[in-house]
């Protein structure tokens, strides 16, 4: 696959070592390719928060045999989704069981999941060649046709394939969409902000609430909805930590802040959630600190690929966290790269590579865009006018989101469904 240039050459250059970039490195290392991951940060601090992998992603991760790396991180199986109204009354309990989708919904500390992915991407004990991660290597842009990637230090590298996994403010995206109808597309404010809180469970007092309604020990996700706000919370790291994401209307949607980690005063959260049950405020009041995260997403792009480059993860389809599918869709992207590039040889031409990347986009685009749209839908205020009931139906998107067995299987399923619909229409005619 060599392009013939003087710059340092790699089979694959991945830009961004977040969940999407590391997952892509794990997926693509299996065939013994040389993989370079370029990461802007020094990677010594991932965002402190909990994160879930849904069954659609857990199934893929299980297939990567990275259990030794994950096991020690004390992952937890999320056994149920429980929806409460603002009075703390249980509205819906949806049991989550493995048998339905072939894998569990797993809860992780974000740092732990990130760490395990990094270890699996670079370990000598995984199949194929370990990826190399270069930190403090911010990418300025790339040439999608030649595969040359420009790094902020003034150096360049060249990849047969460039994977743009550089998040919602992607530099690679700007290059990929140049000249397309999406040119200039940027992260957009969604009108929502989230306070994020992580507490050590043993620092919390006994809560004044019946365990039938809520227990810190229950391995479940609990959502409380009231007015235009909601709290989503659950345990992590084997129950040692308890995490909350508290969604509120964004008071300052046009703020150009870039961080997920602006700090916010605890008083502000307690005021915003004054109408919520006392036991929830008790948990919040023990937060060692509060991070404020302005929620942004992007509109579906008209393309994710150009020449030798493809966008994945938030760079391609940043979505609201309301369905907890952001990381899971990144894992699906990585698996799709593996599925469509696994048998591509070292001598493949730029045209061959482009066609494979376009096949990845065809397999993934409709599904990821729909989940992006569902996530916006799920963010709409969900409390009834009298605030007593919750209009969300957690079951609604579950089957579509979680019943997934890889990109090629998805394409085949859709082909069969279209064929069936065609036959039915023909029979009726
Ligand atoms: C607090 C929080 C909680 C979340 N909870 C969930 C959840 O429960 N479930 C879920 O599915 N999703 C969740 N998400 C969303 C999810 O984390 C992302 O959708 C997912 O991780 C995909 O991210 P990514 O790797 O594409 O992008 P990012 O995580 O943004 O990673 C991009 C990486 O690229 C690097 N980078 C950026 N620009 C450059 C550049 N120019 N050059 C080199 N490197 C660059 C960044 O430093 C970063 O390391 C959550 C997100 C946050 C912030």
């Amino acid at each position: 696959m060599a392009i013939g240039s003087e710059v340092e050459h790699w089979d694959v250059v991945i830009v961004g070592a977040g969940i999407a970039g590391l997952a892509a490195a794990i997926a693509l290392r299996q065939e013994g390719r040389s993989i370079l991951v370029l990461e802007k940060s020094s990677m010594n601090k991932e965002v402190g928060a909990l994160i879930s992998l849904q069954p659609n992603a857990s199934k893929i991760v299980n297939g990567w045999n990275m259990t030794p790396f994950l096991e020690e991180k004390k992952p937890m199986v999320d056994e149920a989704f429980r929806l409460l109204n603002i009075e703390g009354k249980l509205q819906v309990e949806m049991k989550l069981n493995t048998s339905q989708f072939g894998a569990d919904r797993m809860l992780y500390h974000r740092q732990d999941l990130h760490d395990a992915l990094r270890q699996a991407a670079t370990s000598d004990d995984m199949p194929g060649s370990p990826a190399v991660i270069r930190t403090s290597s911010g990418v300025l842009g790339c040439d999608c046709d030649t595969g040359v990637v420009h790094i902020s230090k003034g150096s360049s590298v060249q990849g047969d394939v460039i994977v743009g996994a550089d998040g919602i403010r992607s530099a690679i995206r700007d290059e990929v969409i140049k000249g397309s109808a999406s040119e200039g597309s940027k992260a957009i404010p969604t009108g929502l902000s989230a306070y994020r809180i992580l507490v050590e469970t043993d620092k919390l007092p006994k809560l004044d609430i019946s365990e039938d309604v809520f227990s810190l020990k229950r391995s479940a996700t609990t959502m409380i909805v009231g007015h235009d706000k909601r709290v989503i919370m659950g345990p992590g790291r084997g129950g040692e930590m308890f995490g909350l994401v508290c969604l509120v209307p964004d008071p300052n949607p046009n703020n150009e802040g870039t961080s997920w980690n602006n700090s916010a005063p605890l008083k502000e959260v307690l005021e915003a959630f004054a109408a919520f049950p006392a036991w929830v405020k008790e948990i919040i009041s023990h937060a060692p600190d509060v991070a404020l995260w302005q929620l942004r997403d992007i509109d579906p792009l008209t393309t994710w690929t150009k020449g030798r480059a493809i966008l994945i993860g938030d760079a391609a389809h940043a979505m609201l966290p309301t369905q907890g599918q952001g990381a899971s869709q990144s894992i699906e992207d990585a698996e799709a790269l593996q599925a469509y590039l696994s048998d591509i040889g070292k001598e493949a031409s730029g045209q061959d590579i482009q066609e494979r990347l376009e096949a990845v986009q065809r397999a993934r685009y409709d599904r990821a865009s729909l989940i992006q749209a569902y996530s916006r839908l799920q963010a709409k205020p969900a409390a009834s006018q009298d605030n007593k009931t919750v209009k969300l139906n957690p079951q609604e998107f579950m089957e579509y989101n979680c019943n997934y067995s890889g990109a090629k299987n998805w394409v085949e399923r859709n082909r069969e469904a279209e064929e069936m619909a065609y036959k039915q229409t023909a029979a009726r005619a």
Side-chain angles (χ1 to χ4, degrees):
M1 283 205 279
I3 301 163
S5 147
E6 281 159 25
V7 295
E8 186 189 348
H9 177 262
W10 295 79
D11 291 336
V12 182
V13 175
I14 298 173
V15 182
I19 290 171
L22 293 173
I26 297 167
L28 290 172
R29 62 167 286 173
Q30 319 236 349
E31 278 77 34
R33 296 187 180 85
S34 61
I35 300 176
L36 175 66
V37 186
L38 296 170
E39 166 57 43
K40 178 167 76 172
S41 73
S42 54
M43 260 179 107
N44 55 14
K45 194 169 178 290
E46 247 294 293
V47 175
L50 301 183
I51 193 165
S52 61
L53 284 189
Q54 307 286 343
N56 46 316
S58 293
K59 204 197 258 184
I60 295 169
V61 170
N62 293 348
W64 288 339
N65 295 322
M66 46 179 292
T67 317
F69 307 104
L70 283 173
E71 227 167 34
E72 63 188 50
K73 311 291 186 193
K74 304 187 193 163
M76 297 178 74
V77 174
D78 193 359
E79 289 164 3
F81 182 81
R82 295 164 61 85
L83 193 53
L84 274 58
N85 70 6
I86 201 170
E87 292 167 353
K89 292 204 176 105
L90 185 65
Q91 305 280 291
V92 180
E93 179 176 42
M94 189 173 77
K95 299 271 187 209
L96 306 169
N97 62 43
T98 312
S99 55
Q100 203 183 350
F101 301 118
D104 288 311
R105 185 176 130 93
M106 301 300 299
L107 302 171
Y108 298 93
H109 190 297
R110 233 183 116 84
Q111 275 164 8
D112 295 344
L113 176 63
H114 193 259
D115 236 31
L117 291 169
R118 178 167 51 162
Q119 286 167 0
T122 55
S123 165
D124 289 324
D125 298 332
M126 290 283 280
S129 311
V132 173
I133 301 177
R134 268 185 211 157
T135 53
S136 308
S137 298
V139 165
L140 301 174
C142 69
D143 181 322
C144 300
D145 296 322
T146 60
V148 173
V149 176
H150 306 291
I151 306 167
S152 54
K153 292 168 180 165
S155 59
S156 297
V157 294
Q158 186 179 37
D160 290 339
V161 176
I162 303 171
V163 179
D166 47 345
I168 191 164
R169 293 170 196 274
S170 167
I172 301 298
R173 183 173 65 224
D174 292 342
E175 306 286 357
V176 168
I177 62 180
K178 209 178 267 174
S180 77
S182 295
E183 180 160 359
S185 194
K186 297 276 176 220
I188 44 181
T190 59
L192 287 175
S193 273
Y195 296 105
R196 285 182 298 103
I197 291 169
L198 202 53
V199 195
E200 286 175 47
T201 313
D202 65 8
K203 299 236 162 92
L204 289 168
K206 187 170 167 9
L207 299 173
D208 184 18
I209 179 69
S210 148
E211 292 208 350
D212 292 342
V213 178
F214 176 79
S215 163
L216 289 165
K217 294 196 198 102
R218 189 180 278 124
S219 192
T221 298
T222 302
M223 185 192 287
I224 308 183
V225 177
H227 305 286
D228 50 3
K229 305 188 179 74
R230 58 185 89 165
V231 173
I232 304 119
M233 56 191 180
R237 204 178 265 170
E240 288 168 18
M241 310 297 289
F242 194 81
L244 300 92
V245 174
C246 309
L247 289 184
V248 291
D250 188 344
N252 199 1
N254 294 319
N255 178 347
E256 263 308 301
T258 56
S259 176
W260 286 348
N261 251 348
N262 298 320
S263 67
L266 183 57
K267 191 168 153 275
E268 197 176 289
V269 197
L270 289 168
E271 272 168 21
F273 289 87
F276 276 55
W279 55 271
V280 179
K281 288 181 283 183
E282 176 81 49
I283 302 175
I284 294 175
S285 69
H286 282 78
D289 44 47
V290 179
L292 178 63
W293 173 28
Q294 280 199 310
L295 298 182
R296 289 166 194 261
D297 66 3
I298 57 173
D299 284 327
L301 302 172
T302 48
T303 184
W304 297 352
T305 65
K306 186 182 207 177
R308 294 174 180 272
I310 186 162
L311 303 172
I312 65 167
D314 283 4
H317 44 63
M319 55 187 71
L320 282 169
T322 45
Q323 295 201 89
Q325 276 286 343
S328 298
Q329 287 306 300
S330 301
I331 304 276
E332 286 191 16
D333 291 340
E335 186 276 340
L337 287 174
Q338 180 180 17
Y340 285 93
L341 295 179
S342 65
D343 61 347
I344 196 153
K346 291 246 174 211
E347 298 311 319
S349 67
Q351 181 66 27
D352 289 342
I353 290 170
Q354 181 174 341
E355 282 167 16
R356 297 302 184 102
L357 298 181
E358 283 168 1
V360 174
Q361 173 175 333
R362 277 197 300 280
R364 295 282 308 124
Y365 185 84
D366 287 352
R367 175 172 164 80
S369 303
L370 197 56
I371 293 176
Q372 235 184 334
Y374 282 166
S375 301
R376 277 188 184 170
L377 213 63
Q378 290 281 79
K380 296 211 184 313
S384 62
Q385 278 212 317
D386 64 3
N387 222 13
K388 293 212 182 294
T389 50
V390 180
K391 294 178 283 180
L392 281 178
N393 174 4
Q395 201 84 46
E396 204 174 0
F397 306 120
M398 195 73 184
E399 171 71 22
Y400 182 85
N401 290 355
C402 300
N403 188 2
Y404 186 76
S405 299
K408 286 195 167 170
N409 173 276
W410 182 255
V411 169
E412 185 55 21
R413 264 167 59 188
N414 282 333
R415 195 192 58 72
E416 283 171 10
E418 272 171 30
E419 205 173 284
M420 179 78 80
Y422 178 77
K423 281 185 186 154
Q424 283 169 351
T425 313
R428 276 198 299 270

